[in-house]
Amino acid sequence: MFSASQSSKAQFLDKARQAREERRELKERERAAVQIQALVRRFLCRCHLQKEIRREVEDFFGTAEPGASKRSALSVFRIARKLLFVFNHKEDKERFEKLCRCILNSMDVENEPKVWYVSLALSKDLTLLWIKQIKDILWFCCEFLKQLKPDILQDSRLVNLHLTMLVTFTDTSTWKILRGKGETLRPAMNHICANIMGHLNQKGFYSVLQILLTNGLARSRPSLSKGSLTAIFSLALRPVVAAQFSDNLLRSFLIHVMSVPAIMTHLATLTPERLAVMESHDLFRKFITFLSREAQCRDVCVCLEGSHTLCLLGNLVYLGSLNDKVLEDETAHFVGVLIHMLSYCQKYVSQKKSNLTHWHPVLGWFSQTVDYGLNESMPLLTKQLQHLWGVHMIRILFSDVLSKKLLENQEIAQLPTQPVSPQNSLPMKNLFKRAFQKSASVRNILKPVGGKRVDSAEVQKVCSICVLYQTTLTTLTQIRLQILTGLTYLDDLLPKLWAFICELGPQGGLKLFLECLNNDTEESKRLLAMLMLFCDCSRHLITILDDIEVYEEQISFKLEELVTISSFLNSFVFKMIWDGIVENARGETLELFHSVHGWLMVLYERDCRRRFAPEDHWLRKDLKPSVLFQELDKDKKRAQLLLQYIPHVIPHKNRVLLFRNMVTKEKEKLGLVETSSASPHVTHITIRRSRMLEDGYEQLRQLSQNAMKGVIRVKFVNDLGVDEAGIDQDGVFKEFLEEIIKKVFDPALNLFKTTSGDERLYPSPTSYIHENYLQLFEFVGKMLGKAVYEGIVVDVPFASFFLSQLLGHHHSVFYSSVDELPSLDSEFYKNLTSIKRYDGDISDLGLTLSYDEDVMGQLVCHELVPGGKTIPVTNENKISYIHLMAHFRMHTQIKSQTAALISGFRSIIKPEWIRMFSAPELQRLISGDNAEIDLEDLKKHTVYYGGFHGSHRVIIWLWDILANDFSPEERAMFLKFVTSCSRPPLLGFAYLKPPFSIRCVEVSDDQDTGDTLGSVLRGFFTIRKKEPGGRLPTSSTCFNLLKLPNYSKKSILREKLRYAISMNTGFELS
């Protein structure tokens, strides 16, 4: 019972609670309904009010036109208040336009003070309200300007409307109310205008102008009209002038206006009057002074980031080109500002593409976000930047250097200079045209003399300018060649800069710069930057000048100066390597090394091609080869770097010895050398004499790399299919190798062609007619490599340009196809250089970027660039045409053949082994020394057989005939007769394998069975079976063996030997 009463109580309480919650929910619903109804009523009321106001505005502006312009200012003010009260950007766009037009119309009415909208500013009750209203209206104008696109016709009209509003109400000059008696009100009105402008600035007025300018100007053709641009620039200048060029407003102007791409160029084109206004305010000087404070310059750069900093830089450079006086006065500040801005950009210039980098058309890979919208304006920006390395600015900045006199005849020094065009596009053709304007003056040869203090103001100024240009080169990576071309345009800048360098320090030149390497001071860095700039520019100049300009006309540098400079560079690079500086070099020091080394190698390769330096000029007398070899054996880094970068400082003979040592070491490592404990693996091949090339190709191309380097034994099979007698102890393989090389390099086979002048070999462009021609070239490369590997000299004269490709020089950024062209076709080279020097309009010649060639009776057109046969050669692209043509003839045409041959050659000879040789030295390595035959050396290393000995009368006659009766040409023919090569081995006859030998023979070759005891005794005692006067001397070139009958008279020996070598019969005739 008790539990039942408890249960009913709980139910009662539950019901009470539920009822209470229902009553609360009901109240909440009623309250929510009231609130929703209020909101809806309010919304509907607001909508109704907005409709009413908008209808009223429409009615107001829809009034008949005759009286429209006569509306009172007060009525316009009231309707404007109403419109602003309900203003929505999207809905009220047209109404706002009508309001603006109405206000502007009111300002144009004559003699109607009550109509002038600005008159309300004089009303005590309305002044503050009017000022607030005009501020709101003008800011709404700014909001619209941000969204408008000036390239759309309708938008361009609205741009003009809103700009007119801003121009009208931020300056009192057009207000009719201030004319006559109203002039007394001008100060108060000016104060109101300043107040309005201040309000706009706080809201972000300069950002609006920047967006509008960028939309209208950051394109190839500006979409802003002259009036619009004038208005925008006037608006931008007003706050700056009003604030008397305060730092705060100068900063805003620089960040938002001066950073618009090429704005100064557009001003000069569309509204040059604005530039005159800037000049009248001396703005360029104020900009430079403001930015010369490092903290302020950094602040501006950080705000702009990379791309826009570059745009600001371009505008400042352009302004500088128009303000000579300021530039001369503020050179130090101007240079400092540009260095700081370029250095800021440089921090983000990346050497490598990654997911975090973006492509910039001027800076290259850039590790900041790039505004791709600016890309269209990059050509204009580049044109602005070109003024920095244009002749006009270089003359101003380098005035201290250029003022030096290098000519002995002072009248000649006053040569008139050509006026420079403001565009300053530096056409390449003028650089070469000036080559013919050779001065008849004689100049003192510039050598290091010293005497100028490095801490003097003059030196510091020149160093700063060099730092500027060096920073420009390393930052503006995509227009580096343009910059270098501009810096080398003046013929006298580089020699005068060299003269300046020669005067630095107590002794001048080398010692000072070596000391700078060890000093990590700012002064040292600036001096090294000067050297680096000099090297980069000079290297560029020497690379683009052809041989006539360097050797005959001697543009910029005299040959004697090139000798002095190369000596300086050689010593500098040697010291950097030998003193261990390069081993640990990083950053700027490494860049300096590559810069100096780059120019050194350009000069060295030019000298290898055509000498200008004296004999042994490149050698280092203080470097003992024995010390170098010891350090190489110990794997010392400096010795390896020396061999890698400047092997030419080591005598050629020592380098050849080093090369042979490298080969020997590899043979030992691969087990290819006979030892007491092991014999090398031998590869046996059988070759049919009638099919020597085919059999050799089939059997050898399958061999592994190590087998090709190893011992190969050859057995010849004659035409009857019978094995030839004899055991190959290297001699038969030598004969096989020589025969193979003779066949494959025969032009009649059409694997190789000869050059038109000195008949040197290079791959034939039409060799593709052979089946498997690329495999054939690879085989040829292996055979050539094997000959060099084994030290077998072969008489194969290659064209110089092909040797350069074998060395890999054509991959160098400093390689010039045009320089190598004479080694292919000197006549073709003359024709191309005549195009370069052609004074008239080159398009008259009717050339296109293509090359027509007669290929086996059929005319084939090769396009040098895609679509080249439709692109005419003009004065602007003729230099490109020359380089493209040279590159096509020497590279493109034979690219696959050369690649295949190099691949085969490098499978035997490692590239690093031959990099220590120049092209002529590589030819000597392949074909032996081109020096006169050293008969004493040959005699010393001769082996005698068949009874002959050094004191035998026939042998004495032989050496006497060779020394006194034969000409050098005949001695070369004798050597070719015996060894198959007319040149002696590079290291002398001690390295001839097998050694040169002379054997006494009694019978003809077909009856010769070798030496017997009787034949040796008869030879030794000069006993003859019968008079051999009818027989000729013969030879076995595979063994370097001369077979000499035991002649009775010296005259017979002379006659028979001369006949034999002139017929080049060898063992074929006896």
Side-chain angles (χ1 to χ4, degrees):
M1 182 178 166
F2 183 73
S3 61
S5 76
Q6 279 185 332
S7 173
S8 60
K9 184 179 178 181
Q11 287 176 352
F12 174 77
L13 290 173
D14 270 348
K15 286 179 181 179
R17 189 177 68 252
Q18 286 174 5
R20 192 165 55 251
E21 284 177 358
E22 284 174 5
R23 287 195 300 275
R24 188 170 65 248
E25 283 179 14
L26 185 63
K27 284 181 181 178
E28 280 293 319
R29 280 199 294 272
E30 287 175 354
R31 191 176 62 79
V34 171
Q35 196 171 2
I36 289 168
Q37 288 171 1
L39 283 170
V40 170
R41 281 198 298 271
R42 188 165 66 194
F43 174 74
L44 292 173
C45 184
R46 193 163 61 247
C47 286
H48 178 72
L49 179 63
Q50 286 174 349
K51 280 182 183 177
E52 286 296 318
I53 290 174
R54 287 191 173 107
R55 192 180 298 114
E56 190 179 339
V57 171
E58 289 287 352
D59 292 341
F60 181 83
F61 292 124
T63 315
E65 286 299 320
S69 59
K70 296 288 186 178
R71 293 189 190 96
S72 70
L74 189 59
S75 65
V76 173
F77 172 76
R78 285 172 180 160
I79 206 70
R81 281 191 78 186
K82 289 181 179 181
L83 178 60
L84 294 176
F85 178 68
V86 298
F87 187 72
N88 179 282
H89 275 87
K90 286 184 179 178
E91 288 188 37
D92 299 313
K93 184 179 174 184
E94 289 185 14
R95 296 181 188 91
F96 186 75
E97 289 169 25
K98 290 176 181 176
L99 173 64
C100 291
R101 294 189 195 284
C102 180
I103 290 172
L104 290 173
N105 287 338
S106 76
M107 296 295 288
D108 289 335
V109 175
E110 294 289 339
N111 303 319
E112 293 279 353
K114 289 185 179 181
V115 174
W116 296 330
Y117 177 70
V118 78
S119 64
L120 299 176
L122 303 177
S123 167
K124 288 181 182 180
D125 300 332
L126 298 176
T127 303
L128 294 176
L129 291 173
W130 179 84
I131 291 173
K132 183 181 183 309
Q133 187 181 89
I134 195 63
K135 283 179 180 179
D136 291 341
I137 290 173
L138 293 182
W139 182 244
F140 284 137
C141 287
C142 291
E143 293 280 356
F144 279 114
L145 285 172
K146 280 199 286 189
Q147 299 166 7
L148 294 171
K149 305 292 181 190
D151 52 332
I152 300 171
L153 181 62
Q154 184 60 35
D155 279 14
S156 69
R157 289 173 182 163
L158 294 176
V159 166
N160 288 335
L161 172 66
H162 297 311
L163 284 175
T164 308
M165 281 292 292
L166 286 163
V167 169
T168 303
F169 292 101
T170 54
D171 184 72
T172 60
S173 57
T174 59
W175 294 1
K176 294 183 172 64
I177 198 169
L178 300 180
R179 291 178 185 171
K181 294 178 181 177
E183 190 65 39
T184 54
L185 300 172
R186 191 174 294 276
M189 292 298 166
N190 283 340
H191 186 70
I192 289 173
C193 283
N195 184 286
I196 294 168
M197 189 55 87
H199 171 77
L200 293 175
N201 281 339
Q202 284 180 345
K203 297 271 281 184
F205 180 58
Y206 274 112
S207 296
V208 172
L209 295 184
Q210 182 181 18
I211 292 168
L212 182 59
L213 285 168
T214 305
N215 287 340
L217 300 180
R219 52 188 64 244
S220 50
R221 292 182 64 186
S223 55
L224 285 175
S225 64
K226 176 180 178 178
S228 298
L229 187 57
T230 304
I232 296 168
F233 208 75
S234 300
L235 286 167
L237 269 179
R238 277 177 186 173
V240 181
V241 176
Q244 297 183 330
F245 310 98
S246 69
D247 284 356
N248 193 30
L249 281 159
L250 276 175
R251 176 183 179 277
S252 294
F253 192 87
L254 285 165
I255 289 172
H256 297 291
V257 179
M258 290 298 290
S259 67
V260 174
I263 186 171
M264 293 298 112
T265 302
H266 291 302
L267 283 177
T269 308
L270 294 173
T271 171
E273 303 84 12
R274 294 301 96 195
L275 283 179
V277 170
M278 286 185 73
E279 194 173 343
S280 68
H281 290 302
D282 204 10
L283 267 180
F284 176 59
R285 191 191 302 272
K286 290 180 172 67
F287 291 154
I288 296 302
T289 306
F290 174 81
L291 291 169
S292 65
R293 296 191 282 276
E294 191 175 331
Q296 293 178 173
C297 189
R298 191 187 309 113
D299 170 49
V300 169
C301 291
V302 169
C303 287
L304 289 175
E305 296 191 332
S307 295
H308 290 276
T309 299
L310 196 64
C311 295
L312 171 59
L313 184 78
N315 286 316
L316 289 175
V317 167
Y318 186 79
L319 269 184
S321 69
L322 302 177
N323 291 270
D324 292 1
K325 180 72 171 66
V326 179
L327 200 59
E328 288 167 9
D329 295 345
E330 303 289 342
T331 298
H333 284 156
F334 177 72
V335 169
V337 167
L338 295 196
I339 290 172
H340 193 95
M341 293 172 80
L342 284 165
S343 300
Y344 177 80
C345 291
Q346 193 184 61
K347 285 193 298 184
Y348 301 99
V349 173
S350 302
Q351 296 300 316
K352 192 176 176 183
K353 180 185 176 183
S354 75
N355 292 335
L356 301 174
T357 57
H358 306 268
W359 179 254
H360 190 283
V362 175
L363 298 165
W365 289 111
F366 198 66
S367 60
Q368 273 190 341
T369 305
V370 173
D371 184 350
Y372 291 106
L374 301 180
N375 280 9
E376 271 192 73
S377 58
M378 283 301 131
L380 283 173
L381 171 62
T382 306
K383 279 189 177 179
Q384 283 189 321
L385 292 169
Q386 280 177 353
H387 288 277
L388 182 57
W389 49 88
V391 174
H392 185 64
M393 199 167 284
I394 285 175
R395 286 194 188 281
I396 294 172
L397 296 181
F398 278 111
S399 56
D400 291 346
V401 173
L402 291 168
S403 61
K404 294 182 178 301
K405 305 295 183 196
L406 295 183
L407 304 177
E408 289 182 355
N409 184 345
Q410 293 304 314
E411 289 77 32
I412 297 167
Q414 305 301 320
L415 290 170
T417 55
Q418 294 295 321
V420 182
S421 67
Q423 288 284 320
N424 208 357
S425 59
L426 300 172
M428 201 71 144
K429 59 179 181 178
N430 290 342
L431 183 64
F432 300 107
K433 186 176 175 182
R434 289 176 297 119
F436 280 90
Q437 301 168 354
K438 188 180 174 187
S439 169
S441 61
V442 179
R443 192 172 83 205
N444 288 318
I445 303 307
L446 303 170
K447 294 180 180 178
V449 290
K452 186 169 284 188
R453 289 177 60 88
V454 293
D455 57 355
S456 65
E458 181 192 6
V459 173
Q460 292 301 309
K461 179 184 173 185
V462 174
C463 283
S464 293
I465 294 161
C466 290
V467 169
L468 166 62
Y469 284 110
Q470 195 55 43
T471 312
T472 308
L473 285 169
T474 51
T475 306
L476 311 182
T477 57
Q478 298 310 295
I479 52 174
R480 180 182 171 86
L481 289 179
Q482 277 189 40
I483 302 165
L484 288 169
T485 302
L487 290 168
T488 54
Y489 190 79
L490 286 175
D491 282 343
D492 56 344
L493 176 61
L494 291 175
K496 286 181 176 179
L497 190 57
W498 172 242
F500 192 83
I501 289 170
C502 287
E503 293 174 2
L504 295 176
Q507 287 87 26
L510 185 64
K511 190 176 179 184
L512 170 71
F513 288 106
L514 287 172
E515 286 172 0
C516 287
L517 284 171
N518 298 313
N519 298 332
D520 194 24
T521 62
E522 199 59 39
E523 185 181 86
S524 296
K525 287 179 182 177
R526 289 151 73 89
L527 283 165
L528 291 172
M530 185 197 311
L531 176 63
M532 196 168 164
L533 181 74
F534 172 70
C535 289
D536 286 344
C537 293
S538 303
R539 179 184 61 210
H540 179 75
L541 178 67
I542 294 296
T543 303
I544 61 176
L545 295 180
D546 59 39
D547 284 356
I548 295 171
E549 292 160 331
V550 172
Y551 291 92
E552 294 167 28
E553 294 162 5
Q554 298 186 25
I555 288 179
S556 285
F557 293 108
K558 303 292 179 191
L559 288 179
E560 294 87 345
E561 285 163 6
L562 290 181
V563 172
T564 307
I565 292 168
S566 59
S567 177
F568 166 82
L569 299 173
N570 210 32
S571 299
F572 188 79
V573 172
F574 174 75
K575 291 284 187 187
M576 279 191 82
I577 293 173
W578 206 244
D579 294 348
I581 296 169
V582 177
E583 287 179 45
N584 308 308
R586 297 284 182 277
E588 291 172 353
T589 308
L590 197 59
E591 285 177 18
L592 170 72
F593 172 76
H594 288 308
S595 180
V596 178
H597 174 258
W599 193 31
L600 171 66
M601 295 316 292
V602 165
L603 288 174
Y604 174 67
E605 283 162 20
R606 178 81 76 163
D607 184 63
C608 289
R609 215 166 44 244
R610 181 174 168 183
R611 296 301 296 265
F612 64 79
E615 201 72 35
D616 297 341
H617 169 73
W618 302 98
L619 302 180
R620 289 291 304 182
K621 303 293 190 294
D622 53 345
L623 176 66
K624 292 182 179 177
S626 57
V627 174
L628 178 70
F629 292 170
Q630 286 170 14
E631 295 209 359
L632 283 170
D633 289 338
K634 294 174 186 175
D635 288 334
K636 289 285 185 72
K637 187 69 176 174
R638 68 175 188 175
Q640 292 170 346
L641 288 171
L642 194 78
L643 206 59
Q644 179 185 345
Y645 286 109
I646 49 169
H648 59 255
V649 300
I650 311 162
H652 179 242
K653 186 175 179 179
N654 295 103
R655 275 179 282 145
V656 177
L657 273 171
L658 187 61
F659 171 75
R660 299 276 20 127
N661 287 343
M662 288 172 175
V663 172
T664 305
K665 280 182 182 176
E666 187 184 78
K667 283 185 174 182
E668 290 170 355
K669 186 179 176 183
L670 297 174
L672 304 177
V673 179
E674 185 89 40
T675 63
S676 57
S677 59
S679 295
H681 172 74
V682 177
T683 303
H684 293 276
I685 60 172
T686 303
I687 303 293
R688 291 171 290 178
R689 279 204 181 270
S690 58
R691 293 181 59 81
M692 192 178 292
L693 177 57
E694 293 84 347
D695 288 355
Y697 170 69
E698 283 301 325
Q699 294 186 54
L700 292 179
R701 76 187 184 93
Q702 306 293 344
L703 293 182
S704 67
Q705 188 172 312
N706 288 351
M708 274 297 295
K709 292 180 179 181
V711 179
I712 301 173
R713 296 279 183 243
V714 178
K715 180 173 278 296
F716 281 120
V717 176
N718 65 20
D719 293 343
L720 299 173
V722 179
D723 290 357
E724 292 185 4
I727 300 170
D728 182 5
Q729 293 295 334
D730 295 334
V732 180
F733 177 73
K734 176 176 180 282
E735 181 194 345
F736 162 73
L737 191 63
E738 288 167 349
E739 287 298 313
I740 284 279
I741 285 175
K742 190 188 293 182
K743 285 180 185 292
V744 295
F745 286 107
D746 185 353
L749 187 63
N750 195 37
L751 274 179
F752 287 83
K753 280 183 75 172
T754 55
T755 57
S756 59
D758 48 5
E759 296 195 341
R760 290 183 166 267
L761 294 160
Y762 69 99
S764 169
T766 56
S767 55
Y768 57 80
I769 62 171
H770 289 279
E771 190 179 356
N772 300 329
Y773 73 103
L774 292 181
Q775 289 91 328
L776 266 173
F777 271 103
E778 189 175 356
F779 171 70
V780 172
K782 288 180 179 178
M783 289 293 95
L784 189 64
K786 179 68 172 171
V788 175
Y789 194 76
E790 300 297 347
I792 299 170
V793 289
V794 288
D795 208 354
V796 183
F798 285 115
S800 174
F801 80 89
F802 179 69
L803 289 166
S804 293
Q805 294 184 44
L806 206 55
L807 288 166
H809 289 171
H810 59 298
H811 294 306
S812 165
V813 291
F814 313 121
Y815 179 81
S816 171
S817 300
V818 177
D819 290 340
E820 294 274 19
L821 189 57
S823 69
L824 171 67
D825 190 337
S826 55
E827 198 59 39
F828 188 69
Y829 171 75
K830 284 178 186 173
N831 292 339
L832 278 185
T833 49
S834 67
I835 289 173
K836 184 169 82 171
R837 291 171 164 76
Y838 188 72
D839 284 336
D841 186 355
I842 203 77
S843 56
D844 294 342
L845 302 180
L847 298 170
T848 60
L849 294 182
S850 61
Y851 172 61
D852 294 329
E853 184 185 25
D854 185 355
V855 180
M856 293 178 284
Q858 192 173 2
L859 193 66
V860 178
C861 177
H862 304 282
E863 291 189 330
L864 303 179
V865 294
K869 61 185 177 185
T870 61
I871 303 172
V873 177
T874 63
N875 286 352
E876 285 68 40
N877 67 8
K878 67 179 181 181
I879 299 302
S880 295
Y881 169 73
I882 291 164
H883 282 272
L884 286 167
M885 185 68 88
H887 185 78
F888 176 80
R889 286 290 305 275
M890 293 191 296
H891 298 274
T892 311
Q893 260 193 321
I894 56 171
K895 185 178 181 180
S896 54
Q897 294 95 321
T898 303
L901 187 141
I902 289 173
S903 171
F905 185 78
R906 288 182 177 175
S907 69
I908 309 294
I909 303 293
K910 291 181 180 178
E912 57 268 26
W913 289 353
I914 56 169
R915 279 200 194 113
M916 54 183 166
F917 301 109
S918 64
E921 288 170 343
L922 179 60
Q923 181 67 66
R924 288 165 67 189
L925 193 68
I926 295 168
S927 301
D929 209 334
N930 51 9
E932 183 115 358
I933 296 166
D934 186 347
L935 287 175
E936 287 303 316
D937 184 44
L938 179 60
K939 191 190 299 185
K940 184 178 172 184
H941 297 99
T942 301
V943 181
Y944 301 102
Y945 297 105
F948 277 161
H949 51 83
S951 302
H952 196 289
R953 68 174 188 177
V954 175
I955 299 301
I956 293 170
W957 289 344
L958 174 68
W959 294 122
D960 186 58
I961 289 166
L962 287 171
N964 300 317
D965 296 346
F966 276 19
S967 65
E969 291 78 17
E970 285 175 317
R971 285 194 285 273
M973 287 164 65
F974 169 77
L975 192 62
K976 188 176 178 71
F977 174 73
V978 179
T979 67
S980 79
C981 186
S982 59
R983 296 178 178 185
L986 271 180
L987 300 174
F989 289 100
Y991 286 83
L992 185 65
K993 301 292 181 196
F996 176 60
S997 50
I998 305 174
R999 180 166 158 247
C1000 179
V1001 292
E1002 297 179 314
V1003 292
S1004 61
D1005 279 359
D1006 54 352
Q1007 297 172 323
D1008 189 7
T1009 56
D1011 288 345
T1012 63
L1013 179 61
S1015 69
V1016 170
L1017 288 172
R1018 282 193 294 275
F1020 187 83
F1021 293 109
T1022 323
I1023 302 168
R1024 288 180 292 277
K1025 279 186 173 182
K1026 58 180 179 179
E1027 176 58 50
R1031 289 211 321 274
L1032 292 171
T1034 59
S1035 67
S1036 289
T1037 55
C1038 53
F1039 293 105
N1040 299 325
L1041 171 66
L1042 174 64
K1043 298 176 181 178
L1044 202 60
N1046 198 343
Y1047 293 114
S1048 59
K1049 291 181 182 177
K1050 182 180 178 181
S1051 58
I1052 297 173
L1053 172 60
R1054 184 191 306 115
E1055 177 195 339
K1056 297 297 182 185
L1057 185 62
R1058 184 170 273 150
Y1059 182 75
I1061 65 171
S1062 63
M1063 296 299 290
N1064 196 21
T1065 53
F1067 55 80
E1068 297 157 5
L1069 182 68
S1070 52

